[in-house]
Amino acid sequence: DIVMTQTPLSSPVTLGQPASISCRSSQSLVRSDGNTYLSWLQQRPGQPPRLLIYKISNRVSGVPDRFSGSGAGTDFTLRINRVEAEDVGVYYCMQASQFPPYTFGQGTRLEI
Amino acid sequence: EVQVVESGGDLEKPGGSLRLSCVVSGVTFSNTWMSWVRQAPGKGLEWVGRIKSKRDGETADYAAPVKGRFTITRDDSYNTVYLQMNSLKTEDTAVYYCATEYYYDLRRWGQGTLVTVSS
């Protein structure tokens, strides 16, 4: 199974300042169809997860443009360019390139 | 608007069985792949399994910890996907989420249903 490793596991941030989360996979996530199925999910306190970004850098409709994703191969990053209070929660990367199973990172807690 | 609603969570003894249901609206369910993901108390997310649409073969895949004990089925006439859980273990205790899947992305999630396995 592909292991997804996120850093940091906890990130204190200041409102209005940028934040970034790194995700590294144990193997390349480039699939045979040429796509890289790496997504980012947000889980606010007491809420279910919510898909933010898919295929490395594609924002889901309705997700603020302060969220961006980048990376390739085995190294990926989620950036928030100006943190807002509503961004508090846990962020997970997830790979679906090599399955089963789909695998998640351990989660990164973003706290103000 | 897409809505996903899980139900069926309960307290069950080790070795027992439970069936979870997940009703989806706002999408063409028959063409939608569906995944189950669980989250143990205070822990991260763990993919449980996935069922493809009928046109894609309606096949199911499972994570190793549940393979042979859990079964995912679907009934397109009721826009519902099921997770049959047998031979439950204490480590199956978790909130179980159902999510629509679109080209390997878990797009829309339900609120989850809590399964507690304890004697």
Side-chain angles (χ1 to χ4, degrees), chain B residues 19-101:
Chain B
R19 188 177 83 156
L20 307 184
S21 301
C22 170
V23 179
V24 182
S25 59
V27 291
T28 305
F29 181 77
S30 59
N31 294 339
T32 302
W33 295 11
M34 297 296 301
S35 265
W36 287 94
V37 175
R38 67 185 180 183
Q39 186 170 35
K43 302 296 185 182
L45 302 172
E46 180 185 22
W47 181 79
V48 172
R50 188 254 336 260
I51 188 165
K52 295 181 178 180
S53 60
K54 192 169 188 175
R55 70 178 180 183
D56 291 319
E58 207 168 328
T59 53
D61 294 290
Y62 301 93
V66 307
K67 197 169 186 178
R69 299 188 299 122
F70 290 11
T71 303
I72 301 174
T73 57
R74 61 189 299 152
D75 187 336
D76 292 347
S77 58
Y78 290 100
N79 283 14
T80 301
V81 60
Y82 302 100
L83 178 64
Q84 177 68 43
M85 304 186 294
N86 298 332
S87 304
L88 283 164
K89 305 176 180 181
T90 54
E91 53 263 41
D92 294 321
T93 293
V95 174
Y96 284 74
Y97 296 103
C98 164
T100 63
E101 191 173 322

Side-chain angles (χ1 to χ4, degrees), chain B residues 3-15:
Chain B
Q3 292 202 331
V4 178
V5 180
E6 305 92 337
S7 62
D10 206 345
L11 171 63
E12 182 57 64
K13 290 184 168 49

Side-chain angles (χ1 to χ4, degrees), chain A residues 1 31 33 37-39 41 43 46-51 53-55 60 92 94 96-97 99-106 109, chain B residues 33 35 37-39 42-47 50 52 61-64 67 97 101-112:
Chain A
D1 297 356
R31 198 164 138 75
D33 61 6
Y37 295 100
L38 184 284
S39 54
L41 302 103
Q43 187 172 30
Q47 295 294 311
R50 165 198 179 200
L51 181 67
I53 287 172
Y54 61 96
K55 285 197 285 186
V60 171
Y92 296 92
M94 187 197 96
S97 287
F99 67 92
Y102 297 165
T103 50
F104 296 89
Q106 318 96 298
R109 186 172 302 276
Chain B
W33 295 11
S35 265
V37 175
R38 67 185 180 183
Q39 186 170 35
K43 302 296 185 182
L45 302 172
E46 180 185 22
W47 181 79
R50 188 254 336 260
K52 295 181 178 180
D61 294 290
Y62 301 93
K67 197 169 186 178
Y97 296 103
E101 191 173 322
Y102 183 76
Y103 288 103
Y104 309 103
D105 303 314
L106 301 186
R107 285 284 166 128
R108 191 61 67 107
W109 297 59
Q111 290 293 319

